[in-house]
């Protein structure tokens, strides 16, 4: 079928300009997680109450996202974007040569980043909780691990932003806007 003036010759139907990709839960999760992480990171040594509340908020969000990753709509499910290492490496080679295919949902590199960010945040939340228990109160290794995971999450978030910018430029689409609206242009 050939496209002529945005219409399909066979039926004359106009394809949609955009399609729904990110459901409201995924979008609210994404932006709320960002706000809570920034709050927790900035308040770390300054306001323990705010820091702990933000940490618990992050832990609750992550638990909900794990469930949603199993039962949510297509593009929210981990099975739709977690790829084998070979596929991820192939995609990254394509990115380096400016030939990476466009994905409606998360691309293979984005899938790896989601898993890495969630793992780092889960580790940060677990070690943060451990520091409030009698068994690990004052344990320097737990505190050091908590801080390393938080700083590692910050590095991953920076790489995530770079990946979003690169993919937006490569495919000429605004992925930040898509995460706000839930819509992307159709394939």
């Amino acid at each position: 079928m050939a496209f002529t003036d945005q219409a399909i010759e066979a039926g004359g139907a106009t394809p949609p300009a955009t399609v729904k990709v990110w459901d409201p839960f995924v979008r609210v999760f994404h932006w709320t997680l960002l706000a809570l992480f920034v709050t927790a990171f900035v308040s770390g040594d300054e306001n323990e109450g705010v820091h702990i509340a933000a940490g618990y908020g992050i832990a609750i969000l992550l638990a909900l996202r794990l469930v949603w990753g199993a039962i949510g709509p297509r593009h929210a499910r981990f099975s739709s974007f977690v790829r084998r290492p070979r596929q991820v490496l192939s995609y990254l080679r394509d990115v380096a040569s400016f030939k990476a295919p466009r994905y409606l949902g998360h691309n293979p590199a984005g899938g790896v980043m989601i898993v890495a960010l969630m793992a780092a945040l889960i580790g940060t939340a677990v070690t943060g909780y451990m520091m409030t228990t009698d068994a690990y109160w004052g344990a320097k290794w737990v505190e050091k691990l908590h801080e390393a995971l938080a700083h590692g999450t910050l590095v991953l978030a920076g790489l995530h932003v770079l990946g979003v910018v690169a993919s937006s430029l490569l495919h000429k689409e605004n992925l930040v806007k898509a995460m706000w609206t839930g819509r992307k242009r159709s394939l």
Side-chain angles (χ1 to χ4, degrees):
M1 282 183 195
F3 287 93
T4 309
D5 294 336
Q6 296 291 345
I8 300 173
E9 286 180 6
T14 303
T18 63
V19 292
K20 276 185 153 184
V21 178
W22 312 123
D23 65 276
F25 176 82
V26 167
R27 296 184 344 252
V28 170
F29 165 83
H30 180 273
W31 297 112
T32 305
L33 184 64
L34 171 63
L36 287 173
F37 179 76
V38 169
T39 300
F41 196 87
V42 170
S43 67
D45 292 329
E46 304 303 318
N47 190 330
E48 186 176 338
V50 170
H51 182 79
I52 291 172
Y56 278 116
I58 289 169
I60 291 166
L61 278 178
L62 291 168
L64 292 171
R65 182 62 179 98
L66 287 171
V67 171
W68 200 243
I71 67 169
R74 177 180 173 204
H75 295 294
R77 278 183 260 142
F78 298 121
S79 62
S80 76
F81 60 81
V82 175
R83 304 282 199 284
R84 289 186 162 88
R86 176 175 279 154
Q87 292 171 296
V88 174
L89 291 173
S90 175
Y91 178 79
L92 290 173
R93 276 192 298 272
D94 289 344
V95 167
S97 64
F98 302 102
K99 297 178 188 173
R102 179 177 175 265
Y103 285 77
L104 195 54
H106 287 97
N107 63 49
V112 167
M113 184 55 70
I114 289 169
V115 171
L117 281 165
M118 289 185 72
L121 286 166
I122 289 168
T124 306
V126 167
T127 54
Y129 173 74
M130 288 170 63
M131 292 189 316
T132 68
T133 65
D134 289 341
Y136 296 99
W137 182 264
K140 287 295 181 195
W141 73 268
V142 177
E143 185 177 336
K144 295 289 183 197
L145 181 56
H146 180 73
E147 289 176 4
L149 287 165
H151 285 95
T153 301
L154 194 60
V155 170
L156 289 171
L159 292 172
H160 170 60
V161 169
L162 288 175
V164 166
V165 169
S167 190
S168 291
L169 293 171
L170 182 63
H171 300 296
K172 297 175 177 60
E173 67 182 333
N174 187 339
L175 291 178
V176 175
K177 180 181 176 185
M179 190 51 78
W180 275 109
T181 66
R183 302 187 72 82
K184 291 176 77 175
R185 77 172 190 276
S186 56
L187 287 176

